[in-house]
Amino acid sequence: MISFSFNNIKKLPIVGVLLLVGGVMLSSCQESLEDRAVRQAKEYTERYCPTPVVNYSRTDSIVFDQKRHVYIYYLSFCGMLDDQKVVDENRDRITDMLTQSVRESTGLRNFIEAGFKFEYVCHSEKTPKKVLFRIVI
């Protein structure tokens, strides 16, 4: 049986100590920002989607496109917002609200600083294949 105590560190050459400390540090930092984005999007989708309807919309899923560095949020518009005419009349307001939510999200700060984009693809709840609104922020 191998036992280890901090007293044994004194017996290791300095190179061994550096390798031991470096190995521990590197093993905790192996996940790239892109890999983290993929993992977090998948975990959120599996755990929370579809989300409850809030403000006539629901998040159906989130994915991260590694080639384009884009988080893609798939939403469904429900109720009175599930109408192309209403969406068109409120396009600027919807754009402002989504842009503000991205800018103010502390959870997205690292991704924003890395230059990632955020795309919202908003489908009709009544007609799921119909895209009512799409924007890249």
Side-chain angles (χ1 to χ4, degrees), residues 13 17 56 99 117 122:
V17 172
Y56 306 104
T99 302
K117 302 284 185 208
C122 306

Side-chain angles (χ1 to χ4, degrees), residues 60 72-78 81-88 91 94 98 119-136:
D60 296 316
I72 306 168
Y73 292 80
Y74 291 97
L75 308 175
S76 289
F77 282 170
C78 313
L81 195 53
D82 191 356
D83 181 321
Q84 190 67 61
K85 184 178 177 184
V86 171
V87 171
D88 290 343
R91 187 166 295 280
I94 296 167
L98 291 173
E119 182 173 4
Y120 289 86
V121 181
C122 306
H123 294 268
S124 164
E125 181 183 48
K126 292 182 277 188
T127 315
K129 291 188 180 193
K130 181 177 183 182
V131 175
L132 297 170
F133 181 83
R134 174 181 238 134
I135 186 172
V136 177

Side-chain angles (χ1 to χ4, degrees), residues 38-54:
V38 170
R39 178 181 53 77
Q40 286 180 344
K42 181 181 179 197
E43 287 174 357
Y44 184 89
T45 297
E46 289 173 351
R47 184 173 292 159
Y48 300 109
C49 292
T51 63
V53 174
V54 175

Side-chain angles (χ1 to χ4, degrees), residues 30-40 64 66 69 71 109-116:
Q30 288 181 343
E31 186 177 43
S32 71
L33 195 57
E34 290 85 0
D35 290 340
R36 188 171 112 201
V38 170
R39 178 181 53 77
Q40 286 180 344
F64 181 72
Q66 286 184 294
H69 287 103
Y71 254 106
R109 191 152 327 273
N110 288 338
F111 301 120
I112 293 168
E113 290 171 358
F116 291 6

Side-chain angles (χ1 to χ4, degrees), residues 17-32:
V17 172
L18 291 174
L19 287 174
L20 176 67
V21 171
V24 170
M25 290 174 64
L26 285 176
S27 67
S28 64
C29 299
Q30 288 181 343
E31 186 177 43
S32 71

Side-chain angles (χ1 to χ4, degrees), residues 96-119:
D96 291 344
M97 289 172 56
L98 291 173
T99 302
Q100 182 179 356
S101 73
V102 168
R103 286 185 183 148
E104 292 178 355
S105 174
T106 57
L108 299 177
R109 191 152 327 273
N110 288 338
F111 301 120
I112 293 168
E113 290 171 358
F116 291 6
K117 302 284 185 208
F118 302 87
E119 182 173 4

